[in-house]
Amino acid sequence: DIATEMNALLRQAEAFLGMEQYQNHESLRDIHVLEAFERRALEKNFRLQLKRIHQKLDQETAQTEDHFWRRYQAAGIEVREMLNRQVRTYDANLQEMVDYLDDFYLISRLRLTCELINRQSILSGNYDTRLAGGLLAYLHNYDHEKVPTMAAYYMVLRLLIGEAGADSFERLSQLLTHEAQAFSDETWRELFSYAQNYCIRQVRAGEAGYLAQLLKLYRSALETGNILENGLLSVWKYKNIASVGLRLSEYAWVEEFIHKYKPKLPEDLRENAYSYNLADLHYHRREYELALRNLHRVEFT
């Protein structure tokens, strides 16, 4: 009947979507091919595929959770392959497998713990964050600095629970500025958001010096281009950066910024955002007529 045919068609559509998603994950396919060669005892093919996987992993600069998970998977398949061949020598892959699993878990646990604490403070949710202290204590004696992503989330967690704020923020800033290539774009933006929000909280608590720290963060992010998403700067970031600069009386720099980054704004919001921030600049300079002239061009939404 029609219902049965529609259900079968839906299953086919779901299978197609799943396969399309799979085709887009080259690294996942590489691991599955390696596993297929191992199960079929095709040693020559296995070694060539393993070499290709290691070459790709070695070329990756962003050391994400996924990066360590794939290294763990590859090491695990190699351990199994040696066992199947009954190789009785020392196997370094077994230790690497454990190490990669540790790195994957610790980065994941840090990131999720930071998110739990952050959401709890914003949404007043009833999340279990008891492990945060124990996690920090363990990482204190762990070489977390060997992986920038782990080090960065470690600093974020310390900031969120109020531990060594100034030192933790300084280290996080250094990582975001000097080791940005070690993060994926998504991870960098998440870490930057934590650093930005920490500065804002400190300013609201009366620590005015963090306003300059925030502008320093913004300027560094602009210089590297990391703050852009798909080559564009959001109008809210555009406004926030200009506002911080104006509060610090960095009028010349703000003027240059407003003009320079106008072409980077989304086209449909460009003129509005440009005119508004230019008006704000003139207002701070007490050029009220110019401020009004620019405000007349703004269509408030």
Side-chain angles (χ1 to χ4, degrees), residues 193-210:
S193 180
Y194 278 122
Q196 170 190 270
N197 292 338
Y198 178 76
C199 286
I200 293 170
R201 287 197 304 272
Q202 293 302 105
V203 171
R204 287 174 178 168
E207 297 288 341
Y210 276 90

Side-chain angles (χ1 to χ4, degrees), residues 27-35 53 70 73-74 77:
S27 59
L28 182 61
R29 285 187 285 121
D30 285 344
I31 291 293
H32 285 169
V33 170
L34 181 69
E35 191 170 27
I53 289 173
R70 282 182 283 124
Q73 288 179 303
I77 296 170

Side-chain angles (χ1 to χ4, degrees), residues 1 20 37-38 111 145 198 217 253:
D1 61 356
E20 188 176 49
F37 288 151
E38 182 271 321
R111 183 178 61 79
E145 284 287 340
Y198 178 76
L217 269 179
W253 182 85

